């Protein structure tokens, strides 16, 4: 089996998480600068089999777009061109950043470590992916 990759896309940074090859567990992979996302993914997928990409899709509680929805749609369009053989699936990302912040607090990390935005982004991607696995499961 190939991995599933999740992206918590932001206009500055993108958190990335992946499953194990058996698609059982989601783990944080890294956080990359938004401008480096596509080159990073091309390099990663040259060495790892990925069967699906999920990307956090931001909407308001009523389902309407937020200020962050258009950039996510734009990057999805580019990723579909870069990786036409890989399905790219938007998934609801409501509350993943809050859940990631809570998870970091509960992990016992010192406050200074929890304030690292990169750690928060990769944790949010991991939560997004683990919830996806649970739903598909």
């Amino acid at each position: 089996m190939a991995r599933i990759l999740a992206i918590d896309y932001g206009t500055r940074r993108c958190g990335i998480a992946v499953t194990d090859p058996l698609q059982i567990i989601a783990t944080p992979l890294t956080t990359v600068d938004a401008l480096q996302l596509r080159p990073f993914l091309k390099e990663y997928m040259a060495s790892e089999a990925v069967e699906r990409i999920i990307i956090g899709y931001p909407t308001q509680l009523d389902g309407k777009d937020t200020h962050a929805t258009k950039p996510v749609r734009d990057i999805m369009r580019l990723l579909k061109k870069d990786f036409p053989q890989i399905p790219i699936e938007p998934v609801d990302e409501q509350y993943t950043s809050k859940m990631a912040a809570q998870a970091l607090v509960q992990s016992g990390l010192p406050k200074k470590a929890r304030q690292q935005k990169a750690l928060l982004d990769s944790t949010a991607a991991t939560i997004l992916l683990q919830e996806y696995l649970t739903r598909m499961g």
Side-chain angles (χ1 to χ4, degrees):
M1 273 183 140
R3 298 175 190 272
I4 299 173
L5 185 139
I7 303 169
D8 179 42
Y9 184 80
T11 55
R12 291 189 201 140
R13 285 176 315 279
C14 303
I16 302 173
V18 293
T19 64
D20 60 293
L22 296 176
Q23 299 179 3
I24 297 170
I25 303 214
T27 57
L29 180 61
T30 190
T31 301
V32 297
D33 182 273
L35 297 175
Q36 294 303 311
L37 177 63
R38 292 170 64 208
F40 173 84
L41 292 176
K42 287 175 185 176
E43 185 177 325
Y44 181 80
M45 290 194 220
S47 63
E48 293 289 339
V50 174
E51 80 173 39
R52 177 175 305 276
I53 297 172
I54 65 166
I55 186 164
Y57 196 77
T59 57
Q60 296 178 15
L61 290 176
D62 61 5
K64 293 181 182 174
D65 289 356
T66 71
H67 69 283
T69 307
K70 183 184 180 323
V72 169
R73 273 198 304 263
D74 292 344
I75 195 66
M76 285 177 59
R77 194 173 315 113
L78 292 171
L79 293 176
K80 285 177 183 181
K81 286 180 184 175
D82 290 343
F83 310 105
Q85 73 285 9
I86 299 174
I88 301 183
E89 185 176 339
V91 295
D92 182 12
E93 71 167 18
Q94 286 184 2
Y95 304 115
T96 55
S97 291
K98 288 181 183 180
M99 290 168 58
Q102 250 181 341
L104 292 174
V105 168
Q106 291 173 347
S107 73
L109 280 175
K111 185 175 183 179
K112 188 169 185 152
R114 292 192 316 256
Q115 291 173 335
Q116 295 177 17
K117 298 289 186 189
L119 181 59
L120 183 67
D121 293 337
S122 63
T123 303
T126 306
I127 289 170
L128 190 72
L129 184 51
Q130 192 62 54
E131 287 182 345
Y132 178 82
L133 292 174
T134 302
R135 277 195 308 275
M136 300 313 286

